[in-house]
Amino acid sequence: MLGIILKKQKMDYKKPEAFAGSFTCPHCGTIAQQNWWSIAWNRTSYANKNDNELRISYCTHCGQNTLWIVNKMLFPDSGNVPFPNSEMPQTVKEIYLEAASVYSKSPRGAAALLRLGIQMLCKELGESGKNINGDIAELVKKGLPEIVQQSLDIVRVTGNDAVHPGQIDTDDSEVVIQLFNLINVIVEYMIALPKRVSGIYSSLPSDKIDAIKQRDKK
């Protein structure tokens, strides 16, 4: 199941890159065609667009722009990480976007913020939100799948390591980008997927649902 979710997430997100024909727009979250123009600082080099430092893309889906200096996106400042899952609770999303805004400047700072996001997510899942380790343990007692527990603990431990340096290199942007991916996976597994399944299940004929309930009482 996790493999399916990870594959779907990968298909739903295409990393933004300078002069890419399409990528996941950080404004609308859609993989859309991008139109580009660029200019050199001295306004003299137009022959080869790759030589021009200032670059702007236009999303054909939402009409918004992204601003780049060479190969680094500067606007929006949250555009260098995967778009948050559409079912992410608002309290968690705010922290996620704050982490996204500092990611390119401080991966370590982003990791620490994502740990806070996990704390808020545990609260949204019905726990106290005061002690992440304890909250995860309680969720496990309630039947939390092992793969989700592992994902939560990866973000917890890595985020904690960002504050108390150890063996995990939270200055490595590739390490931290996986934390963003994992939070989206956790939200997909614990909130989005159950919501979709529940919606489909409730649409079954009432007599079929009653028969299922009777079966499960045996």
Coordinates of all heavy atoms in Angstrom, one line a residue, residues 39-124:
I39 N 16.8 37.1 -19.0 CA 17.6 38.3 -19.4 C 18.9 38.3 -18.6 O 18.9 37.8 -17.4 CB 16.8 39.6 -19.1 CG1 17.6 40.8 -19.7 CG2 16.6 39.8 -17.6 CD1 16.8 42.1 -19.6
A40 N 20.0 38.8 -19.2 CA 21.3 38.9 -18.5 C 21.3 40.1 -17.7 O 20.6 41.1 -18.0 CB 22.4 38.8 -19.5
W41 N 22.2 40.1 -16.6 CA 22.3 41.3 -15.8 C 22.7 42.5 -16.6 O 22.3 43.6 -16.4 CB 23.3 41.1 -14.7 CG 22.9 40.0 -13.7 CD1 23.6 38.9 -13.5 CD2 21.8 39.9 -12.9 NE1 23.0 38.1 -12.5 CE2 21.8 38.7 -12.1 CE3 20.7 40.8 -12.7 CZ2 20.9 38.4 -11.2 CZ3 19.7 40.4 -11.8 CH2 19.8 39.2 -11.0
N42 N 23.6 42.3 -17.6 CA 24.1 43.5 -18.4 C 23.2 43.8 -19.6 O 23.5 44.6 -20.4 CB 25.6 43.2 -18.8 CG 25.7 41.9 -19.7 OD1 24.7 41.4 -20.1 ND2 26.9 41.5 -19.9
R43 N 22.1 43.0 -19.7 CA 21.2 43.2 -20.8 C 21.8 43.1 -22.2 O 21.3 43.6 -23.1 CB 20.5 44.6 -20.6 CG 19.6 44.7 -19.4 CD 19.1 46.2 -19.3 NE 18.1 46.3 -18.2 CZ 16.8 46.1 -18.3 NH1 16.3 45.8 -19.5 NH2 16.0 46.3 -17.3
T44 N 22.8 42.3 -22.3 CA 23.5 42.2 -23.6 C 23.5 40.8 -24.2 O 23.6 40.6 -25.4 CB 24.9 42.7 -23.5 OG1 25.7 41.9 -22.6 CG2 25.0 44.1 -23.1
S45 N 23.3 39.8 -23.3 CA 23.4 38.4 -23.7 C 22.1 37.8 -23.9 O 21.4 37.4 -22.9 CB 24.3 37.6 -22.7 OG 24.3 36.3 -23.1
Y46 N 21.6 37.7 -25.1 CA 20.3 37.1 -25.4 C 20.4 35.9 -26.3 O 19.4 35.2 -26.5 CB 19.4 38.1 -26.1 CG 19.1 39.3 -25.3 CD1 19.9 40.5 -25.4 CD2 18.1 39.3 -24.3 CE1 19.6 41.6 -24.6 CE2 17.8 40.4 -23.5 CZ 18.6 41.6 -23.7 OH 18.3 42.7 -22.9
A47 N 21.6 35.6 -26.9 CA 21.7 34.6 -27.9 C 21.5 33.2 -27.2 O 20.8 32.4 -27.8 CB 23.1 34.6 -28.4
N48 N 22.0 33.0 -26.1 CA 21.8 31.7 -25.4 C 21.1 31.9 -24.1 O 21.6 32.5 -23.2 CB 23.1 31.0 -25.2 CG 23.0 29.6 -24.6 OD1 21.9 29.2 -24.2 ND2 24.1 28.9 -24.5
K49 N 19.8 31.5 -24.0 CA 19.0 31.7 -22.8 C 19.7 31.1 -21.5 O 19.5 31.6 -20.4 CB 17.6 31.2 -22.9 CG 17.5 29.6 -23.0 CD 16.1 29.2 -23.1 CE 16.0 27.7 -23.0 NZ 14.6 27.2 -23.1
N50 N 20.5 30.1 -21.7 CA 21.1 29.4 -20.5 C 22.2 30.3 -19.9 O 22.6 30.1 -18.8 CB 21.7 28.1 -20.9 CG 20.7 27.1 -21.3 OD1 19.7 26.9 -20.6 ND2 20.8 26.4 -22.4
D51 N 22.6 31.4 -20.6 CA 23.6 32.3 -20.1 C 23.0 33.4 -19.3 O 23.7 34.2 -18.6 CB 24.5 32.9 -21.3 CG 25.3 31.8 -21.9 OD1 25.7 30.9 -21.3 OD2 25.6 32.0 -23.1
N52 N 21.7 33.6 -19.4 CA 21.0 34.7 -18.8 C 20.6 34.3 -17.3 O 20.1 33.2 -17.1 CB 19.7 35.0 -19.5 CG 20.0 35.5 -20.9 OD1 21.1 36.0 -21.2 ND2 19.0 35.5 -21.8
E53 N 21.0 35.2 -16.4 CA 20.9 34.9 -15.0 C 19.5 35.0 -14.4 O 19.0 34.2 -13.6 CB 21.8 35.8 -14.2 CG 23.3 35.6 -14.5 CD 23.8 36.6 -15.5 OE1 22.9 37.2 -16.2 OE2 25.0 36.7 -15.7
L54 N 18.7 36.0 -14.9 CA 17.4 36.3 -14.4 C 16.4 35.5 -15.3 O 16.3 35.7 -16.5 CB 17.1 37.8 -14.4 CG 15.7 38.2 -13.9 CD1 15.6 37.8 -12.4 CD2 15.5 39.7 -14.1
R55 N 15.6 34.6 -14.6 CA 14.7 33.7 -15.4 C 13.3 33.8 -14.8 O 13.1 33.7 -13.5 CB 15.2 32.3 -15.4 CG 16.7 32.2 -16.0 CD 17.4 31.0 -15.6 NE 18.7 31.0 -16.3 CZ 19.6 30.0 -16.2 NH1 19.3 28.9 -15.5 NH2 20.8 30.1 -16.7
I56 N 12.3 33.8 -15.6 CA 10.9 33.8 -15.2 C 10.1 32.8 -15.9 O 10.2 32.7 -17.2 CB 10.3 35.2 -15.3 CG1 11.0 36.2 -14.5 CG2 8.8 35.2 -15.0 CD1 10.6 37.7 -14.7
S57 N 9.3 32.0 -15.2 CA 8.4 31.0 -15.9 C 7.0 31.5 -15.7 O 6.6 32.1 -14.6 CB 8.6 29.6 -15.3 OG 8.1 29.5 -14.0
Y58 N 6.1 31.1 -16.6 CA 4.7 31.5 -16.6 C 3.9 30.2 -16.6 O 4.1 29.4 -17.6 CB 4.4 32.4 -17.8 CG 2.9 32.6 -17.9 CD1 2.2 33.6 -17.2 CD2 2.1 31.8 -18.8 CE1 0.8 33.8 -17.4 CE2 0.8 32.0 -19.0 CZ 0.1 33.0 -18.3 OH -1.2 33.2 -18.4
C59 N 3.1 29.9 -15.6 CA 2.3 28.7 -15.5 C 1.1 28.8 -16.4 O 0.3 29.8 -16.2 CB 1.9 28.4 -14.1 SG 0.8 27.0 -14.0
T60 N 0.9 28.0 -17.4 CA -0.2 28.1 -18.3 C -1.5 27.6 -17.7 O -2.6 27.8 -18.3 CB 0.1 27.2 -19.6 OG1 0.3 25.8 -19.2 CG2 1.3 27.7 -20.3
H61 N -1.4 27.0 -16.5 CA -2.6 26.6 -15.8 C -3.3 27.7 -15.0 O -4.5 27.9 -15.0 CB -2.4 25.3 -14.9 CG -3.6 24.8 -14.3 ND1 -3.9 25.1 -13.0 CD2 -4.6 23.9 -14.7 CE1 -5.1 24.5 -12.7 NE2 -5.5 23.8 -13.7
C62 N -2.4 28.3 -14.1 CA -3.0 29.3 -13.2 C -2.6 30.8 -13.6 O -3.1 31.7 -13.0 CB -2.6 29.0 -11.8 SG -0.8 29.2 -11.4
G63 N -1.6 30.9 -14.5 CA -1.2 32.3 -14.9 C -0.2 33.0 -14.0 O 0.0 34.1 -14.2
Q64 N 0.3 32.2 -13.0 CA 1.2 32.8 -12.0 C 2.7 32.6 -12.5 O 3.0 31.7 -13.3 CB 1.0 32.2 -10.7 CG -0.3 32.5 -10.0 CD -0.5 33.9 -9.7 OE1 0.3 34.6 -9.1 NE2 -1.7 34.5 -10.1
N65 N 3.6 33.4 -12.0 CA 5.0 33.4 -12.4 C 5.9 32.8 -11.2 O 5.5 32.9 -10.1 CB 5.5 34.8 -12.7 CG 4.8 35.3 -13.9 OD1 4.6 34.6 -14.9 ND2 4.5 36.6 -13.9
T66 N 7.0 32.2 -11.6 CA 8.0 31.9 -10.7 C 9.3 32.7 -11.1 O 9.5 32.8 -12.3 CB 8.4 30.4 -10.6 OG1 8.8 30.0 -11.9 CG2 7.1 29.6 -10.2
L67 N 10.0 33.1 -10.1 CA 11.2 33.9 -10.4 C 12.5 33.2 -10.0 O 12.5 32.6 -8.9 CB 11.2 35.2 -9.6 CG 12.4 36.1 -9.6 CD1 12.7 36.6 -11.1 CD2 12.3 37.3 -8.7
W68 N 13.4 33.1 -10.9 CA 14.7 32.3 -10.6 C 15.9 33.2 -10.8 O 15.9 34.1 -11.7 CB 14.8 31.2 -11.6 CG 13.6 30.2 -11.6 CD1 12.3 30.5 -12.0 CD2 13.7 28.8 -11.3 NE1 11.6 29.3 -11.9 CE2 12.4 28.3 -11.5 CE3 14.7 28.0 -10.9 CZ2 12.1 27.0 -11.2 CZ3 14.4 26.6 -10.6 CH2 13.1 26.2 -10.8
I69 N 16.9 32.9 -10.0 CA 18.3 33.5 -10.3 C 19.1 32.3 -10.7 O 19.4 31.4 -9.8 CB 18.9 34.2 -9.1 CG1 18.0 35.4 -8.7 CG2 20.3 34.7 -9.4 CD1 17.9 36.5 -9.7
V70 N 19.5 32.2 -11.9 CA 20.2 31.0 -12.5 C 19.3 29.8 -12.3 O 18.2 29.8 -12.8 CB 21.6 30.9 -11.9 CG1 22.4 29.8 -12.7 CG2 22.4 32.2 -12.0
N71 N 19.7 28.8 -11.4 CA 18.9 27.6 -11.3 C 18.2 27.5 -9.9 O 17.7 26.5 -9.5 CB 19.8 26.4 -11.4 CG 20.4 26.3 -12.8 OD1 19.7 26.6 -13.8 ND2 21.6 25.8 -12.9
K72 N 18.1 28.7 -9.2 CA 17.5 28.7 -7.9 C 16.2 29.5 -7.9 O 16.2 30.7 -8.3 CB 18.5 29.3 -6.9 CG 17.9 29.3 -5.4 CD 19.0 29.8 -4.5 CE 18.5 29.7 -3.0 NZ 19.5 30.2 -2.1
M73 N 15.1 28.9 -7.6 CA 13.8 29.6 -7.5 C 13.8 30.5 -6.3 O 14.0 30.0 -5.1 CB 12.7 28.6 -7.5 CG 11.3 29.3 -7.5 SD 9.9 28.2 -7.1 CE 10.1 26.9 -8.4
L74 N 13.5 31.8 -6.5 CA 13.4 32.7 -5.3 C 12.0 33.1 -5.0 O 11.7 33.4 -3.9 CB 14.2 34.0 -5.7 CG 15.7 33.9 -5.9 CD1 16.3 35.2 -6.1 CD2 16.4 33.1 -4.7
F75 N 11.1 33.0 -6.0 CA 9.7 33.3 -5.7 C 8.8 32.3 -6.5 O 9.0 32.0 -7.7 CB 9.3 34.7 -6.2 CG 7.9 35.0 -6.1 CD1 7.3 35.3 -4.8 CD2 7.0 34.9 -7.2 CE1 6.0 35.6 -4.7 CE2 5.7 35.1 -7.1 CZ 5.1 35.5 -5.9
P76 N 7.8 31.7 -5.8 CA 7.6 31.8 -4.3 C 8.7 31.0 -3.6 O 9.3 30.1 -4.1 CB 6.2 31.2 -4.1 CG 6.1 30.2 -5.2 CD 6.8 30.8 -6.4
D77 N 8.9 31.5 -2.3 CA 10.1 30.8 -1.6 C 9.7 29.4 -1.1 O 10.6 28.7 -0.6 CB 10.5 31.7 -0.4 CG 9.4 32.1 0.6 OD1 8.3 31.5 0.4 OD2 9.6 32.9 1.4
S78 N 8.4 29.0 -1.3 CA 8.1 27.7 -0.9 C 8.0 26.7 -2.1 O 7.6 25.5 -1.9 CB 6.7 27.7 -0.2 OG 5.7 28.2 -1.2
G79 N 8.5 27.2 -3.2 CA 8.4 26.4 -4.4 C 9.4 25.3 -4.6 O 9.3 24.6 -5.7
N80 N 10.3 25.1 -3.7 CA 11.4 24.1 -3.9 C 11.1 22.8 -3.2 O 11.9 21.9 -3.2 CB 12.7 24.7 -3.4 CG 13.2 25.8 -4.2 OD1 13.5 25.7 -5.3 ND2 13.2 27.0 -3.5
V81 N 9.9 22.6 -2.7 CA 9.5 21.4 -2.0 C 8.1 20.9 -2.6 O 7.4 21.7 -3.2 CB 9.4 21.6 -0.5 CG1 10.7 22.2 0.1 CG2 8.2 22.4 -0.1
P82 N 7.8 19.6 -2.4 CA 6.5 19.1 -2.9 C 5.3 19.9 -2.3 O 5.3 20.4 -1.2 CB 6.5 17.7 -2.4 CG 7.9 17.3 -2.2 CD 8.6 18.6 -1.8
F83 N 4.3 20.1 -3.1 CA 3.1 20.8 -2.7 C 2.4 20.0 -1.6 O 2.4 18.8 -1.6 CB 2.1 20.9 -3.9 CG 1.2 22.1 -3.9 CD1 1.6 23.3 -4.1 CD2 -0.2 21.9 -3.6 CE1 0.8 24.4 -4.1 CE2 -1.0 23.0 -3.6 CZ -0.6 24.2 -3.8
P84 N 1.9 20.7 -0.6 CA 1.3 19.9 0.6 C 0.1 19.1 0.1 O -0.7 19.6 -0.7 CB 1.0 21.0 1.6 CG 0.9 22.3 0.8 CD 1.9 22.1 -0.3
N85 N -0.1 18.0 0.7 CA -1.3 17.1 0.4 C -2.6 18.0 0.6 O -2.7 18.7 1.6 CB -1.3 15.9 1.4 CG -2.3 14.9 1.0 OD1 -3.5 15.2 1.1 ND2 -1.9 13.7 0.7
S86 N -3.5 17.8 -0.3 CA -4.7 18.7 -0.2 C -5.5 18.4 1.1 O -6.3 19.3 1.5 CB -5.6 18.4 -1.4 OG -6.0 17.0 -1.5
E87 N -5.3 17.2 1.7 CA -6.1 16.9 2.9 C -5.3 17.3 4.2 O -5.7 16.9 5.3 CB -6.5 15.4 2.9 CG -7.4 15.0 1.8 CD -8.8 15.7 2.0 OE1 -9.2 16.1 3.1 OE2 -9.5 15.8 0.9
M88 N -4.2 17.9 4.0 CA -3.4 18.3 5.2 C -4.1 19.3 6.1 O -4.6 20.3 5.6 CB -2.0 18.9 4.8 CG -1.0 19.1 5.9 SD 0.6 19.8 5.3 CE 1.2 18.3 4.4
P89 N -4.2 19.0 7.4 CA -4.9 20.0 8.3 C -4.3 21.3 8.2 O -3.0 21.4 8.1 CB -4.8 19.3 9.7 CG -4.6 17.9 9.4 CD -3.8 17.8 8.1
Q90 N -5.0 22.4 8.4 CA -4.5 23.7 8.2 C -3.4 24.0 9.2 O -2.4 24.7 8.8 CB -5.7 24.8 8.4 CG -5.3 26.2 8.1 CD -4.8 26.4 6.7 OE1 -5.3 25.8 5.8 NE2 -3.9 27.3 6.5
T91 N -3.5 23.6 10.4 CA -2.5 23.8 11.4 C -1.2 23.2 11.0 O -0.1 23.8 11.2 CB -2.9 23.3 12.8 OG1 -3.2 21.9 12.7 CG2 -4.1 24.0 13.4
V92 N -1.2 22.1 10.4 CA 0.0 21.4 9.9 C 0.5 22.0 8.7 O 1.7 22.2 8.5 CB -0.3 19.9 9.7 CG1 1.0 19.2 9.2 CG2 -0.8 19.2 10.9
K93 N -0.4 22.4 7.8 CA -0.1 23.0 6.5 C 0.7 24.4 6.7 O 1.6 24.7 6.0 CB -1.3 23.3 5.7 CG -1.0 23.9 4.3 CD -2.3 24.0 3.5 CE -2.1 24.6 2.1 NZ -3.3 24.7 1.4
E94 N 0.3 25.1 7.7 CA 1.0 26.4 8.0 C 2.4 26.2 8.4 O 3.3 26.9 7.9 CB 0.2 27.2 9.1 CG -1.1 27.7 8.7 CD -1.9 28.3 9.9 OE1 -1.4 28.3 11.0 OE2 -3.0 28.8 9.6
I95 N 2.7 25.2 9.2 CA 4.0 24.8 9.6 C 4.8 24.3 8.4 O 6.0 24.6 8.2 CB 4.0 23.9 10.8 CG1 3.4 24.5 12.0 CG2 5.5 23.4 11.1 CD1 3.1 23.6 13.1
Y96 N 4.1 23.4 7.6 CA 4.8 22.8 6.4 C 5.2 23.9 5.5 O 6.4 23.9 5.0 CB 3.7 21.9 5.8 CG 4.2 21.2 4.5 CD1 4.6 19.9 4.6 CD2 4.2 21.8 3.3 CE1 5.0 19.1 3.5 CE2 4.7 21.1 2.1 CZ 5.1 19.8 2.3 OH 5.5 19.1 1.2
L97 N 4.4 24.9 5.2 CA 4.7 26.0 4.3 C 5.8 26.9 4.9 O 6.6 27.4 4.2 CB 3.5 26.8 4.0 CG 2.4 26.1 3.1 CD1 1.2 27.0 2.9 CD2 3.0 25.7 1.8
E98 N 5.8 27.1 6.2 CA 6.9 27.8 6.9 C 8.2 27.1 6.7 O 9.2 27.7 6.4 CB 6.6 28.0 8.3 CG 7.6 28.9 9.1 CD 7.3 29.1 10.5 OE1 6.2 28.7 11.0 OE2 8.2 29.7 11.2
A99 N 8.2 25.8 6.9 CA 9.4 25.0 6.6 C 9.8 25.1 5.2 O 11.0 25.2 4.9 CB 9.1 23.5 7.0
A100 N 8.9 25.1 4.3 CA 9.2 25.2 2.8 C 9.9 26.5 2.5 O 10.8 26.6 1.7 CB 7.9 25.0 2.0
S101 N 9.4 27.6 3.2 CA 10.0 28.9 2.9 C 11.4 29.1 3.4 O 12.1 29.9 2.9 CB 9.1 30.0 3.6 OG 9.2 30.0 5.0
V102 N 11.9 28.2 4.4 CA 13.2 28.4 4.8 C 14.1 27.2 4.3 O 15.3 27.3 4.5 CB 13.3 28.4 6.4 CG1 12.4 29.5 6.9 CG2 12.9 27.1 7.0
Y103 N 13.5 26.3 3.6 CA 14.2 25.1 3.2 C 15.5 25.4 2.4 O 16.6 24.8 2.7 CB 13.3 24.2 2.4 CG 14.0 23.1 1.6 CD1 14.6 22.0 2.2 CD2 14.1 23.2 0.2 CE1 15.3 21.0 1.5 CE2 14.8 22.2 -0.5 CZ 15.3 21.1 0.1 OH 16.0 20.2 -0.6
S104 N 15.4 26.3 1.4 CA 16.6 26.5 0.5 C 17.6 27.3 1.3 O 18.8 27.3 0.9 CB 16.1 27.3 -0.7 OG 15.6 28.5 -0.4
K105 N 17.3 28.0 2.3 CA 18.2 28.8 3.1 C 18.8 28.0 4.3 O 20.0 28.2 4.6 CB 17.5 30.1 3.7 CG 16.8 30.9 2.6 CD 16.1 32.1 3.3 CE 15.2 32.8 2.3 NZ 14.0 32.1 1.9
S106 N 17.9 27.2 4.9 CA 18.4 26.4 6.0 C 17.6 25.1 6.1 O 16.6 25.0 6.7 CB 18.1 27.2 7.3 OG 18.4 26.4 8.5
P107 N 18.2 24.0 5.5 CA 17.5 22.7 5.5 C 17.4 22.2 7.0 O 16.4 21.6 7.4 CB 18.5 21.8 4.8 CG 19.2 22.7 3.8 CD 19.3 24.0 4.5
R108 N 18.4 22.6 7.8 CA 18.3 22.2 9.2 C 17.1 22.9 9.9 O 16.4 22.2 10.7 CB 19.6 22.6 9.9 CG 19.7 22.2 11.4 CD 21.0 22.7 12.1 NE 22.1 22.1 11.4 CZ 22.7 21.0 11.8 NH1 22.1 20.3 12.7 NH2 23.7 20.5 11.1
G109 N 16.9 24.1 9.6 CA 15.7 24.8 10.2 C 14.4 24.2 9.7 O 13.4 24.1 10.5
A110 N 14.4 23.8 8.4 CA 13.2 23.2 7.9 C 12.9 21.9 8.6 O 11.7 21.6 8.9 CB 13.3 23.0 6.4
A111 N 13.9 21.1 8.8 CA 13.8 19.8 9.5 C 13.2 20.0 10.9 O 12.3 19.2 11.3 CB 15.1 19.1 9.6
A112 N 13.7 21.0 11.6 CA 13.1 21.3 13.0 C 11.7 21.7 12.9 O 10.9 21.3 13.8 CB 14.0 22.4 13.6
L113 N 11.3 22.5 11.9 CA 9.9 22.9 11.8 C 9.0 21.7 11.4 O 7.9 21.6 11.9 CB 9.8 24.0 10.7 CG 10.2 25.4 11.2 CD1 10.3 26.3 10.0 CD2 9.2 26.0 12.1
L114 N 9.5 20.8 10.6 CA 8.7 19.6 10.2 C 8.5 18.7 11.4 O 7.4 18.1 11.5 CB 9.4 18.9 9.1 CG 9.4 19.6 7.7 CD1 10.2 18.8 6.7 CD2 8.0 19.9 7.2
R115 N 9.4 18.7 12.3 CA 9.2 17.9 13.6 C 8.0 18.5 14.3 O 7.2 17.8 14.9 CB 10.4 17.9 14.4 CG 10.3 17.1 15.7 CD 11.6 17.2 16.6 NE 11.5 16.4 17.8 CZ 10.8 16.7 18.9 NH1 10.2 17.9 18.9 NH2 10.8 15.9 19.9
L116 N 7.9 19.9 14.4 CA 6.8 20.5 15.0 C 5.5 20.2 14.2 O 4.5 20.0 14.8 CB 7.1 22.0 15.0 CG 5.9 22.9 15.6 CD1 5.6 22.5 17.0 CD2 6.3 24.4 15.5
G117 N 5.6 20.1 12.9 CA 4.5 19.8 12.1 C 3.9 18.4 12.5 O 2.7 18.2 12.5
I118 N 4.8 17.4 12.7 CA 4.5 16.1 13.1 C 3.7 16.1 14.5 O 2.8 15.4 14.7 CB 5.7 15.2 13.2 CG1 6.1 14.8 11.8 CG2 5.4 13.9 14.0 CD1 5.1 13.9 11.1
Q119 N 4.2 17.0 15.4 CA 3.6 17.2 16.7 C 2.2 17.7 16.5 O 1.2 17.1 17.2 CB 4.4 18.2 17.5 CG 3.9 18.3 18.9 CD 4.9 19.2 19.8 OE1 6.0 19.5 19.4 NE2 4.4 19.6 20.9
M120 N 2.0 18.6 15.6 CA 0.6 19.1 15.4 C -0.3 18.1 14.7 O -1.5 18.0 14.9 CB 0.7 20.4 14.5 CG 1.4 21.6 15.1 SD 0.7 22.0 16.8 CE -0.9 22.5 16.3
L121 N 0.4 17.3 13.8 CA -0.4 16.2 13.1 C -0.9 15.2 14.1 O -2.0 14.7 14.0 CB 0.5 15.6 12.1 CG -0.2 14.5 11.2 CD1 -1.4 15.0 10.5 CD2 0.8 14.0 10.1
C122 N 0.0 14.8 15.1 CA -0.4 13.8 16.1 C -1.7 14.4 16.9 O -2.6 13.6 17.2 CB 0.7 13.6 17.1 SG 2.0 12.5 16.4
K123 N -1.7 15.7 17.1 CA -2.8 16.3 17.8 C -4.0 16.2 17.0 O -5.1 15.9 17.5 CB -2.5 17.7 18.2 CG -3.5 18.4 19.1 CD -3.0 19.8 19.5 CE -4.0 20.4 20.5 NZ -3.5 21.8 20.9
E124 N -3.9 16.4 15.7 CA -5.0 16.3 14.8 C -5.6 14.9 14.7 O -6.8 14.7 14.4 CB -4.6 16.8 13.3 CG -4.3 18.3 13.2 CD -5.5 19.2 13.3 OE1 -6.7 18.6 13.1 OE2 -5.4 20.4 13.4

